[in-house]
Amino acid sequence: MHAESRHYRDIASAILQRPDEVMLEVGAGGELLVARLRVVIAAMLLLLPLANAITGGQFNETLIGLAGAVFVNLFAQVWLALARQKRRYRWLPYGSGAFDVSATTIVLVMLAANHLPAGLNSMIVWCGYLLAIALTALRNDGRVTLFVGGLAVLQYTLLTAIVFRIASPDQLISSDYGTVSLGGQLQRLVLLIAFTLIMAMVVYRMQRLVEMSGTDGLTGLPNRTWLVHRFPRLLDAAKRDGVSLCVALIDLDHFKRINDEIGHHAGDRALMHVVDLVRDTLEDGEWLVRLGGEEFVLVLRKPLGTAWERVDGMRRTLFSRRFVPDQGADPLLLTFSAGVASFPHEASDLSGLLRRADQRLNVAKSSGRNRVLARDT
């Protein structure tokens, strides 16, 4: 029972915490997709007043539906324009989600002002809440889902409370919309809460899948996917702060020979030995990424000279601490070679920095290995 409650707490904590950079990047694309879907859905909403008029619906309700559809269509274009400026507005997922919920509430209020039962028993308009909550799953941020779902519950609760406070029992009976009952409205609120929790769990699952895609399974380090998504933000931050950003491409020396001599399982432990030593020395503004095999990238917010000193210090630390494959076995010497390149002096993007660092890495390996190069020779 205790383990189960801890599991639920872990899920709640994961949903409420700020997603990592990969997730935020995916969520920014989701916000743009939501904006495009909103434009399509808004255009479809224009058909509802027409259908109401054709089927003999009340004229006032047709006008209200048309006004609501036009309002949503105008703002759909605004949200689309904002979403195209990827991740420029951090408040955008919350703002556009709040708009989706509030637009539904506004239409329900207008319907209630014309005919009280229509405001609470119009299933077509009420489903706008469900659409607003469902769309948050595309943003891959559990905080947005809970915010939008909570706002829908709050607004509909207030609308229900106001209607039941001002209306007499006779005013809550309609030949077109049936009888508005308190029990029916509570059921709708429960449905909104349940739907919000379901969407939050969908987001949680998506977060775990994206997290797995951006994390190396053996070492737990960020992988190439994480680096590709995160690095443009690191460059932007370096430009904004006026600091240098260096990339060190690290390759373990003769690691294939180690795998062949002691086996792949011991080779994995040797890899973790290196990762643990380097990871323990990381400072703020430094990120270690595994590209694959025995190749790593170290990102440092430091000038080239300082970055070389940091990487060479890690090399010397590894050289001084031998790896013991098994109890009683002879310690093994592990070393690495590295090439370092800096932004903005030597390259302006990730591929350029990796290319320059790889050139220096190759020189380091061809000239004896177990060395770090930060200059062309």
Side-chain angles (χ1 to χ4, degrees):
M1 190 70 179
H2 177 70
E4 192 72 15
S5 62
R6 184 175 61 185
H7 177 65
Y8 287 130
R9 286 197 302 269
D10 291 342
I11 292 177
S13 176
I15 292 174
L16 290 172
Q17 72 182 3
R18 182 179 184 272
D20 63 15
E21 284 297 319
V22 175
M23 203 70 194
L24 289 173
E25 195 71 21
V26 174
E31 180 63 34
L32 181 57
L33 180 57
V34 168
R36 288 170 174 162
L37 276 173
R38 188 185 290 109
V39 169
V40 174
I41 294 172
M44 293 172 63
L45 290 179
L46 291 170
L47 299 176
L48 296 180
L50 177 62
N52 188 66
I54 292 175
T55 56
Q58 295 183 17
F59 180 71
N60 286 346
E61 290 183 4
T62 300
L63 286 181
I64 292 171
L66 181 60
V70 171
F71 173 75
V72 170
N73 271 271
L74 290 175
F75 271 89
Q77 295 298 327
V78 174
W79 296 122
L80 178 60
L82 293 174
R84 282 180 173 146
Q85 302 180 54
K86 204 172 183 181
R87 291 187 66 181
R88 181 174 179 181
Y89 306 104
R90 295 186 178 183
W91 52 265
L92 185 59
Y94 296 94
S96 61
F99 167 79
D100 293 337
V101 170
S102 300
T104 300
T105 302
I106 289 171
V107 175
L108 289 176
V109 169
M110 293 170 66
L111 288 174
N114 179 65
H115 184 47
L116 280 176
L120 293 183
N121 274 8
S122 175
M123 279 300 298
I124 292 177
V125 179
W126 181 84
C127 283
Y129 289 131
L130 300 183
L131 287 175
I133 298 169
L135 286 174
T136 63
L138 297 175
R139 297 177 173 107
N140 297 322
D141 189 338
R143 300 170 303 172
V144 176
T145 299
L146 294 178
F147 169 76
V148 171
L151 186 63
V153 171
L154 176 62
Q155 290 189 6
Y156 195 68
T157 299
L158 290 175
L159 176 61
T160 301
I162 292 172
V163 168
F164 273 88
R165 183 175 180 83
I166 66 174
S168 65
D170 292 341
Q171 290 178 303
L172 297 178
I173 300 174
S174 170
S175 58
D176 294 327
Y177 293 95
T179 301
V180 178
S181 66
L182 183 59
Q185 301 313 307
L186 291 176
Q187 290 173 7
R188 292 193 184 192
L189 289 171
V190 170
L191 183 59
L192 285 178
I193 294 172
F195 195 70
T196 299
L197 293 177
I198 291 171
M199 288 299 103
M201 291 305 299
V202 170
V203 171
Y204 171 76
R205 291 293 297 163
M206 286 298 298
Q207 286 179 336
R208 299 288 73 76
L209 292 173
V210 173
E211 183 181 276
M212 290 171 62
S213 72
T215 303
D216 177 61
L218 174 63
T219 63
L221 293 173
N223 62 15
R224 185 185 295 269
T225 300
W226 181 93
L227 181 65
V228 169
H229 282 90
R230 179 71 187 272
F231 201 78
R233 302 295 163 188
L234 296 179
L235 287 180
D236 290 342
K239 292 176 187 176
R240 184 184 64 245
D241 299 337
V243 300
S244 297
L245 190 71
C246 288
V247 166
L249 189 58
I250 299 172
D251 191 82
L252 302 187
D253 297 326
H254 301 300
F255 196 75
K256 184 178 184 302
R257 183 186 304 169
I258 294 174
N259 275 328
D260 293 340
E261 291 178 355
I262 65 176
H264 287 283
H265 290 298
D268 287 346
R269 293 198 300 274
L271 197 68
M272 287 303 304
H273 172 76
V274 177
V275 169
D276 290 340
L277 284 179
V278 175
R279 188 159 42 191
D280 288 345
T281 66
L282 293 180
E283 300 175 354
D284 290 340
E286 298 179 351
W287 298 267
L288 182 64
V289 178
R290 188 186 183 195
L291 291 185
E294 63 273 17
E295 196 170 43
F296 299 85
V297 168
L298 183 62
V299 182
L300 309 97
R301 276 174 59 98
K302 290 177 172 62
L304 186 61
T306 307
W308 177 86
E309 291 176 357
R310 287 285 299 132
V311 180
D312 196 61
M314 296 172 184
R315 180 194 63 79
R316 285 185 275 108
T317 299
L318 177 63
F319 185 81
S320 65
R321 299 184 188 179
R322 306 297 172 95
F323 167 65
V324 181
D326 291 298
Q327 188 174 3
D330 293 333
L332 294 178
L333 173 64
L334 299 177
T335 63
F336 69 72
S337 302
V340 186
S342 69
F343 165 87
H345 305 295
E346 298 181 310
S348 59
D349 57 17
L350 177 62
S351 61
L353 288 168
L354 288 178
R355 185 163 53 250
R356 180 61 68 89
D358 187 53
Q359 292 170 354
R360 291 170 179 164
L361 170 63
N362 290 330
V363 174
K365 295 179 82 69
S366 63
S367 58
R369 292 184 166 83
N370 189 28
R371 63 192 64 203
V372 179
L373 294 183
R375 304 285 184 188
D376 294 329
T377 57

